[in-house]
Amino acid sequence: MKRVLSAVVFLPLFIVLVRLPPRFFGILIAAACVLGILELYRLAELRGFHCNRPAGALLALAILYSFFGGFRLPLAVPLFAGLAVVPILSLLGRRPLGESLGSDAVTVFSALFLSTLLGYQLLLRNLGEEVGRDLVFFLYLVVWGGDAAAYYVGSLLGRHPLSPRVSPRKTVEGALAGAAGSVVAALSARAWFFQPLRAADAALAGLLLAAVGILGDLVESMWKRGSGLKDSASLVPGHGGMLDRCDSLLFGGPILYYYFLFWLR
């Protein structure tokens, strides 16, 4: 019930932000990215790393700005700044030397990982006022549709573990239901608001997004399990943290962006 109530509260806000000029969606993505990075740092700190949270958040925002601004700020600039500044700050600090390499690596990797993958959603939104908006809605509808089908069918009928070492509760039955749910959601999106998309293309996009969604989910589960946590945080009732809410979307943004550019356009 908490999952449904949270969706009732947050879904209208999300729809409004996507329909407004792209900068509002950019603010939403930036907020999600910073919250997700802080959750990643929490997971790492439980394993003994000491991340530079302000530097990591600033690096991520600079990378997102490069994506949002169509690379008018060359991506190489924040990349260079992050790779140089984080270890220099560590050099000037008083952290035990044995921790510096691992902590600096986690600080930079977490920022690069989330900002780059989420940045593709900004590229999608900026592809055009109407088509950009439709692509973002398509991405979220397909991924969340697959997530919901996997969760409910897996809870009721799941018997065969999908990846017992990483996530014992995820099942093959849930994954198959998730793939079917994503395809149904993709075909529904085509009938609802994305008519130029052919049915075969919609179905293929649904399958691709379902496959990478499962991988994104398992990657986050691997990190959470490694840190001994079930959820990355308790930010959204019934959904866990921002990472829990975004994990299935992370690889989907780049896949849909390149699928649209090289196959659908």
Side-chain angles (χ1 to χ4, degrees):
M1 181 57 72
K2 286 183 180 179
R3 294 174 68 92
V4 176
L5 292 176
S6 294
V8 169
V9 172
F10 289 109
L11 191 57
L13 176 62
F14 170 77
I15 292 172
V16 169
L17 289 174
V18 176
R19 294 186 68 84
L20 287 171
R23 63 179 179 277
F24 291 94
F25 184 62
I27 293 171
L28 175 67
I29 291 297
C33 184
V34 170
L35 289 171
I37 287 172
L38 295 180
E39 291 175 11
L40 268 183
Y41 288 163
R42 176 172 172 252
L43 297 182
E45 285 161 2
L46 288 172
R47 302 303 300 169
F49 295 102
H50 294 86
C51 304
N52 191 324
R53 292 175 171 231
L58 288 174
L59 170 60
L61 291 175
I63 292 172
L64 281 178
Y65 181 75
S66 292
F67 277 87
F68 183 77
F71 300 111
R72 278 177 289 184
L73 172 66
L75 192 57
V77 174
L79 287 177
F80 165 73
L83 293 172
V85 169
V86 169
I88 289 174
L89 290 174
S90 185
L91 179 67
L92 298 175
R94 296 183 178 277
R95 177 190 302 156
L97 297 181
E99 297 178 2
S100 57
L101 178 59
S103 297
D104 291 349
V106 173
T107 297
V108 173
F109 170 77
S110 300
L112 293 179
F113 179 79
L114 281 181
S115 62
T116 302
L117 295 178
L118 289 174
Y120 275 93
Q121 294 187 29
L122 301 181
L123 294 182
L124 281 173
R125 181 63 184 88
N126 287 338
L127 281 172
E129 182 54 38
E130 186 173 353
V131 72
R133 187 182 61 217
D134 289 346
L135 282 167
V136 170
F137 281 135
F138 183 86
L139 171 67
Y140 279 77
L141 181 64
V142 169
V143 171
W144 284 349
D147 276 354
Y151 176 78
Y152 289 109
V153 173
S155 299
L156 290 173
L157 305 175
R159 296 291 183 272
H160 301 87
L162 178 66
S163 180
R165 190 174 74 94
V166 172
S167 183
R169 297 184 63 183
K170 291 183 175 59
T171 62
V172 174
E173 292 83 354
L176 293 175
S182 289
V183 172
V184 170
L187 294 173
S188 301
R190 173 184 176 272
W192 182 10
F193 59 83
F194 215 168
Q195 284 83 8
L197 192 63
R198 294 182 302 175
D201 290 329
L204 180 57
L207 283 176
L208 288 173
L209 293 177
V212 297
I214 291 170
L215 290 175
D217 192 3
L218 289 176
V219 166
E220 196 226 352
S221 294
M222 173 181 68
W223 289 335
K224 285 189 301 184
R225 192 167 181 80
S227 297
L229 294 180
K230 177 179 178 296
D231 295 322
S232 60
S234 55
L235 182 67
V236 185
H239 293 266
M242 187 56 66
L243 283 178
D244 299 307
R245 192 58 288 184
C246 291
D247 54 6
S248 301
L249 291 158
L250 291 175
F251 299 140
I255 290 295
L256 184 59
Y257 178 75
Y258 290 119
Y259 186 69
F260 177 80
L261 282 190
F262 298 120
W263 186 257
L264 301 179
R265 209 170 196 179

